[in-house]
């Protein structure tokens, strides 16, 4: 079993939909959680950074962490075609080195 | 904003050549990292550095070396390039901060083709 599991997709939704992207993990020591957005032929861009359980909101994006279930989510409200990208989850414990999911490809069509 | 700059976006080299990939960050970050990213395999850590002149092997260091002579610059070296090193190479940096530090910030990558 991989430490971090992420469905590769692609996930295709119409413009305006609420998108839910998810990762599960097995290492209970993880306490820092990140979401990155990666456009084609570009580097990953940090979207959200959270510590421990709970929710964090930033504009149309909400990150949710459920440590008891070892499950994290990223919600995108009012999705736009410009949100089409690959979304990577990442997480770590006390190390400086995160463990990444393999990414979910999201397509938002007009 | 954090800026991580990789010297080349696209690079084509021949097998057996020595290849240098350069990365510079402007945020005085202590930690720097080199990854490669391949379809279906995700991000794989090659080398990282916690300080100047310091380096640690990641998960796939074979065929690579690194150099960190200055805090802001981290170089990846392919000693003798081979076709299986054709990939997207990503540099990242992070601050040690407090406790377990801060998240990584990435450059835009170098797409390297070895012919």
């Amino acid at each position: 079993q991989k430490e971090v599991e992420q469905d590769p997709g692609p996930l295709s939704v119409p413009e305006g939909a609420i998108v839910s992207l998810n990762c599960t993990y097995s290492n209970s020591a993880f306490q820092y959680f990140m979401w990155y957005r990666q456009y084609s032929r570009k580097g990953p861009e940090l979207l959200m950074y959270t510590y421990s359980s709970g929710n964090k909101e930033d504009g149309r994006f909400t990150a949710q962490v459920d440590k008891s279930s070892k499950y994290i989510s990223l919600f995108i409200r009012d999705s736009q075609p410009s949100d089409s990208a690959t979304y990577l989850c990442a997480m770590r414990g006390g190390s400086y080195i995160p463990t990444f999911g393999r990414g979910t490809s999201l397509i938002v069509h007009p | 904003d954090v800026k991580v700059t990789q010297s080349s976006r696209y690079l084509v080299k021949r097998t057996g050549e020595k290849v240098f990939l350069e990365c510079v960050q402007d945020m005085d970050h202590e930690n720097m990292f080199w990854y490669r990213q391949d379809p279906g395999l995700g991000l794989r850590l090659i080398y990282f550095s916690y300080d100047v002149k310091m380096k640690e092997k990641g998960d796939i260091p074979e065929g690579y070396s690194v150099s960190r002579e200055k805090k802001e610059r981290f170089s990846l070296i392919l000693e003798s390039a081979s076709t299986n090193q054709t990939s997207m190479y990503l540099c990242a940096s992070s601050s040690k901060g407090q406790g377990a530090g801060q998240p990584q910030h990435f450059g835009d990558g170098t797409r390297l083709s070895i012919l």
Side-chain angles (χ1 to χ4, degrees):
Chain A
Q1 182 191 10
K2 297 187 190 66
E3 266 197 305
V4 177
E5 300 273 4
Q6 186 175 12
D7 188 327
L11 176 62
S12 182
V13 301
E15 183 175 355
I18 296 174
V19 175
S20 172
L21 302 165
N22 310 295
C23 288
T24 59
Y25 63 95
S26 57
N27 189 341
S28 58
F30 288 151
Q31 51 186 329
Y32 298 89
F33 303 91
M34 292 141 281
W35 285 96
Y36 290 85
R37 177 176 62 195
Q38 185 174 21
Y39 292 115
S40 180
R41 302 184 183 277
K42 301 276 277 183
E45 170 195 7
L46 180 68
L47 274 180
M48 302 288 276
Y49 177 53
T50 55
Y51 170 72
S52 195
S53 285
N55 292 359
K56 183 177 181 179
E57 189 173 318
D58 184 1
R60 295 185 296 113
F61 298 91
T62 299
Q64 195 171 80
V65 175
D66 182 350
K67 290 188 72 179
S68 62
S69 302
K70 297 190 179 67
Y71 189 90
I72 69 169
S73 300
L74 178 70
F75 297 97
I76 307 174
R77 290 183 298 281
D78 188 25
S79 57
Q80 303 294 311
S82 58
D83 294 326
S84 298
T86 296
Y87 290 80
L88 301 164
C89 65
M91 49 199 79
R92 60 184 173 85
S95 164
Y96 294 126
I97 302 168
T99 300
F100 286 87
R102 293 190 178 179
T104 298
S105 174
L106 172 66
I107 301 166
V108 182
H109 51 87
Chain B
D1 277 356
V2 176
K3 188 144 182 77
V4 179
T5 303
Q6 294 185 231
S7 54
S8 305
R9 291 296 306 279
Y10 302 94
L11 210 51
V12 180
K13 296 292 182 180
R14 298 210 171 272
T15 54
E17 280 193 69
K18 192 168 186 176
V19 181
F20 294 84
L21 302 183
E22 306 287 345
C23 175
V24 176
Q25 50 93 5
D26 67 354
M27 285 302 292
D28 202 35
H29 284 172
E30 295 86 356
N31 306 324
M32 297 189 75
F33 310 81
W34 275 107
Y35 292 88
R36 61 178 284 177
Q37 186 177 35
D38 300 287
L41 296 178
L43 285 165
R44 292 183 290 168
L45 182 64
I46 305 171
Y47 266 97
F48 58 98
S49 169
Y50 291 151
D51 205 346
V52 176
K53 297 194 186 294
M54 176 273 174
K55 59 187 178 185
E56 293 285 345
K57 292 179 180 179
D59 300 319
I60 52 163
E62 296 78 18
Y64 303 95
S65 63
V66 290
S67 171
R68 193 164 180 204
E69 296 296 318
K70 293 185 178 181
K71 190 175 185 180
E72 67 271 19
R73 186 180 295 272
F74 193 34
S75 303
L76 179 69
I77 303 152
L78 284 66
E79 297 291 342
S80 177
S82 64
T83 54
N84 63 10
Q85 292 178 309
T86 291
S87 186
M88 171 75 138
Y89 288 87
L90 289 161
C91 175
S93 72
S94 69
S95 167
K96 282 187 177 162
Q98 293 183 351
Q102 297 299 308
Q104 292 177 334
H105 296 267
F106 285 84
D108 270 339
T110 295
R111 189 167 291 275
L112 175 64
S113 296
I114 308 294
L115 305 178

